Amino acid sequence: MKEQWVVYISREEIAQAVKTLAQAIDKDYEGRSLVVVTVLKGAFIFVADLIRELETPVDRIELLRLSSYGAATTSSGEVKVLVDLPPGAVTDQHVLLVEDIVDSGRSTTVAFNLLKEQQPASIKLCSLLSKPERRVVPVDIDYCGITIEDKFVIGYGLDWDERYRDLPEIYVVEDGAKS
Ligand code: PRP
């Protein structure tokens, strides 16, 4: 139950991380506009907050939907493309790929490969969270919010079997915990 879970990252810490990320992005993209591509479902809250902090103009938002976890608390290893990009959506565009978390790195790699097929002008990656201990595929995160330990986290878009995305803070669910 939520009452028994420990707040791992508070609302204030999340808001500060989002602000810091937006400032770093604005500094790099000065004078250019962006196409923001986000990976559903987990990143939907983060991207909504991030684009409202950005001063860099966002020409377009595109949505990818990938799935790797199923109902488990560890990644299954297989990434399914549930919703792909429209054809030519990012061709010749400066793309900012926005993830909620890079864990094994598999989802991000699949997203990168889908983007590259469309030959964008550039691609950079922004992720709110990174769990480097679990990396299987190396991923270079251009804008990383908070590096976390190898713990299963939920809230602020991140789910446990589809629940708890609506929690405004990020919580750790300890092994054996029951909802
Ligand atoms: C989660 C998360 C990332 C991905 C990271 O998505 O939102 O996209 O896993 O894990 P990885 O680095 O091991 O690939 P998930 O597949 O659970 O789908 P969801 O976003 O719909 O919850």
Side-chain angles (χ1 to χ4, degrees):
M1 299 200 33
K2 186 195 160 192
E3 293 68 32
Q4 297 166 356
W5 297 341
V6 184
V7 173
Y8 187 52
I9 307 172
S10 68
R11 289 182 194 215
E12 293 74 21
E13 287 170 305
I14 295 169
Q16 187 53 56
V18 172
K19 204 166 268 191
T20 304
L21 288 168
Q23 285 167 353
I25 295 163
D26 284 337
K27 198 162 163 261
D28 288 354
Y29 283 88
E30 205 174 313
R32 288 179 296 168
S33 58
L34 277 175
V35 171
V36 171
V37 176
T38 199
V39 182
L40 297 175
K41 299 179 190 175
F44 79 110
I45 292 180
F46 172 48
V47 78
D49 284 345
L50 182 72
I51 59 174
R52 287 178 294 171
E53 284 293 337
L54 283 177
E55 285 178 13
T56 306
V58 176
D59 284 342
R60 197 141 42 91
I61 301 279
E62 292 291 353
L63 307 171
L64 268 174
R65 186 167 166 214
L66 305 178
S67 181
S68 65
Y69 275 68
T73 56
T74 52
S75 179
S76 66
E78 183 199 357
V79 179
K80 293 185 185 134
V81 181
L82 301 181
V83 178
D84 202 346
L85 294 167
V90 301
T91 304
D92 298 330
Q93 305 296 314
H94 292 292
V95 174
L96 182 68
L97 176 62
V98 176
E99 269 280 22
D100 50 340
I101 184 166
V102 179
D103 190 328
S104 70
R106 290 190 183 101
S107 302
T108 306
T109 303
V110 168
F112 251 96
N113 290 339
L114 290 171
L115 289 166
K116 275 188 207 151
E117 281 173 19
Q118 295 200 0
Q119 301 185 314
S122 66
I123 314 176
K124 286 199 173 189
L125 170 65
C126 175
S127 183
L128 177 65
L129 305 176
S130 173
K131 213 191 267 186
E133 283 172 58
R134 293 196 39 94
R135 207 75 91 242
V136 173
V137 187
V139 171
D140 198 8
I141 307 177
D142 301 285
Y143 308 101
C144 178
I146 302 169
T147 298
I148 63 168
E149 301 158 86
D150 183 10
K151 292 178 183 294
F152 186 70
V153 288
I154 56 166
Y156 195 70
L158 292 130
D159 72 311
W160 181 8
D161 197 10
E162 293 300 329
R163 297 181 70 196
Y164 311 115
R165 296 189 196 274
D166 54 322
L167 300 178
E169 309 87 2
I170 293 173
Y171 291 80
V172 166
V173 179
E174 300 293 351
D175 279 350
K178 233 16 205 138
S179 55

